[in-house]
């Protein structure tokens, strides 16, 4: 019968009663292999985006190594010319509302991360969400991009497209698209696109926000030609509506928008 410390076809290993010496490591393994990262978190006002931001904070971000860049791309102001005589004033009012809303959103999430010791940069961009998130990720040489899922249905996705799909297919860095669990209230009640609450206070307002505009959409007043074209379009639509009403015919639908 073989002894307990023997194996078939092999010599018995030497034994010793002396305890093995414990080797103390002088390397801090918690930070030795970690490199600085730039994590771009694309935000919007939806509950899906709020979930993605919370997931990243709890599962991905590290205050010891990460610069967290919060990006919100706000839309370019357009309006229905038939309701305003001064299209220039309309555009300015909508632009200011979009700017303020974007800044409050970024300050809400940025302040929360600042409290936890993160390095945070907030950027509000006026432009197109798809292309400008990709552009900003390239400019920052982002390590990873985090975004939420809009949860569009098949028909909506076919017509509107998916922001997250575009970012995944065009970013040169890894992209994490964060979807809530299928059995969560956001999915079960289809509330993901609802507006998430934003906290506004003196403390949150202290967080600086960089304001940018996409290269193709400079921050500028609407041109006189564009304003006159919109006014002419509104006048034509009004005249067509009057003619149709006089003839008891429904007026054709007109879309009134001005490019800035």
């Amino acid at each position: 019968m073989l002894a307990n410390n023997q194996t078939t076809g092999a010599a018995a290993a030497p034994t010793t009663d002396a305890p093995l010496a414990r080797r103390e490591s002088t390397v801090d393994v918690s930070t030795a292999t970690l490199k600085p990262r730039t994590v771009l978190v694309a935000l919007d006002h939806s509950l899906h985006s709020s979930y993605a931001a919370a997931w990243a904070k709890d599962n991905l971000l590290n205050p010891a190594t990460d610069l967290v860049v919060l990006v919100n791309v706000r839309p370019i102001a357009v309006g229905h010319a038939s309701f305003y005589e001064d299209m220039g004033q309309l555009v300015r009012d909508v632009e200011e509302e979009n700017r303020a809303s974007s800044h409050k959103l970024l300050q809400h999430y940025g302040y929360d991360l600042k409290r936890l010791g993160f390095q945070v940069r907030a950027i509000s961009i006026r432009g197109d969400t798809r292309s400008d998130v990709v552009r900003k990720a390239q400019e920052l040489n982002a390590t990873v991009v985090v975004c939420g899922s809009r949860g569009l249905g098949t028909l909506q996705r076919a017509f509107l497209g998916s922001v997250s799909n575009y970012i995944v297919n065009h970013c040169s860095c890894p992209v994490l698209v964060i979807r809530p669990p299928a059995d969560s209230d956001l999915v079960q009640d289809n509330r993901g696109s609802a507006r998430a609450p934003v906290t506004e206070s003196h403390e949150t307002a202290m967080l600086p926000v960089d304001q940018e505009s996409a290269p193709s959409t400079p921050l500028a007043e609407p041109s006189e030609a564009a304003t006159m074209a919109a006014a002419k379009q509104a006048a034509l639509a009004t005249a067509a509506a009057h003619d149709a009403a006089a003839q008891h015919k429904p007026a054709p639908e007109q879309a009134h928008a001005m490019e800035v």
Side-chain angles (χ1 to χ4, degrees), residues 134-153:
V134 172
R135 175 181 61 82
K136 183 52 62 177
Q138 293 173 340
E139 288 180 3
L140 296 171
N141 194 24
T143 309
V144 62
V145 172
V146 179
C147 63
S149 171
R150 293 177 63 189
L152 298 177

Side-chain angles (χ1 to χ4, degrees), residues 42-52 73 128-130 146-167 176-180 186-187 189-195:
L43 296 169
D44 61 34
H45 292 275
S46 70
L47 288 173
H48 271 306
S49 184
S50 178
Y51 178 87
V73 182
D128 175 73
T129 302
R130 295 171 175 83
V146 179
C147 63
S149 171
R150 293 177 63 189
L152 298 177
T154 304
L155 188 59
Q156 289 177 307
R157 189 179 300 274
F159 280 97
L160 300 178
S162 168
V163 171
S164 57
N165 280 351
Y166 183 95
I167 295 173
L176 293 179
V177 179
I178 310 303
R179 294 181 175 86
L186 286 182
V187 176
D189 300 336
N190 196 26
R191 295 189 300 111
S193 59
R195 196 176 185 90

Side-chain angles (χ1 to χ4, degrees), residues 6-241:
Q6 292 179 328
T7 56
T8 304
T15 60
T16 178
D17 294 332
L20 295 175
R22 183 175 180 180
R23 291 179 298 177
E24 296 291 342
S25 173
T26 60
V27 179
D28 184 358
V29 295
S30 63
T31 59
T33 59
L34 298 180
K35 297 180 180 179
R37 301 186 303 180
T38 299
V39 181
L40 190 155
V41 181
L43 296 169
D44 61 34
H45 292 275
S46 70
L47 288 173
H48 271 306
S49 184
S50 178
Y51 178 87
W55 185 94
K57 180 180 67 175
D58 295 339
N59 299 280
L60 175 68
L61 301 179
N62 185 342
T65 58
D66 294 346
L67 167 63
V68 184
V69 182
L70 305 178
V71 173
N72 172 251
V73 182
R74 63 186 192 270
I76 300 171
V78 294
H80 294 279
S82 58
F83 295 106
Y84 288 83
E85 294 181 0
D86 185 356
M87 276 299 298
Q89 185 59 49
L90 166 65
V91 171
R92 288 189 291 270
D93 291 344
V94 175
E95 285 282 3
E96 175 56 27
E97 181 180 350
N98 291 343
R99 186 200 65 82
S101 179
S102 176
H103 283 215
K104 290 176 184 177
L105 174 77
L106 293 166
Q107 289 168 336
H108 168 78
Y109 290 103
Y111 175 72
D112 184 44
L113 291 171
K114 276 281 191 182
R115 287 191 309 108
L116 299 175
F118 286 95
Q119 298 182 68
V120 178
R121 181 185 175 190
I123 305 176
S124 175
I125 303 175
R126 174 181 177 268
D128 175 73
T129 302
R130 295 171 175 83
S131 59
D132 286 318
V133 167
V134 172
R135 175 181 61 82
K136 183 52 62 177
Q138 293 173 340
E139 288 180 3
L140 296 171
N141 194 24
T143 309
V144 62
V145 172
V146 179
C147 63
S149 171
R150 293 177 63 189
L152 298 177
T154 304
L155 188 59
Q156 289 177 307
R157 189 179 300 274
F159 280 97
L160 300 178
S162 168
V163 171
S164 57
N165 280 351
Y166 183 95
I167 295 173
V168 167
N169 290 322
H170 291 80
C171 263
S172 57
C173 66
V175 176
L176 293 179
V177 179
I178 310 303
R179 294 181 175 86
D183 58 352
S184 66
D185 292 341
L186 286 182
V187 176
Q188 294 293 323
D189 300 336
N190 196 26
R191 295 189 300 111
S193 59
R195 196 176 185 90
V198 172
T199 302
E200 183 181 2
S201 67
H202 174 72
E203 288 77 12
T204 61
M206 295 297 291
L207 183 80
V209 177
D210 297 338
Q211 181 170 314
E212 298 183 8
S213 184
S216 59
T217 55
L219 287 171
E221 297 292 334
S223 66
E224 181 179 356
T227 302
M228 293 183 63
K232 181 178 180 181
Q233 186 181 27
L236 291 174
T238 302

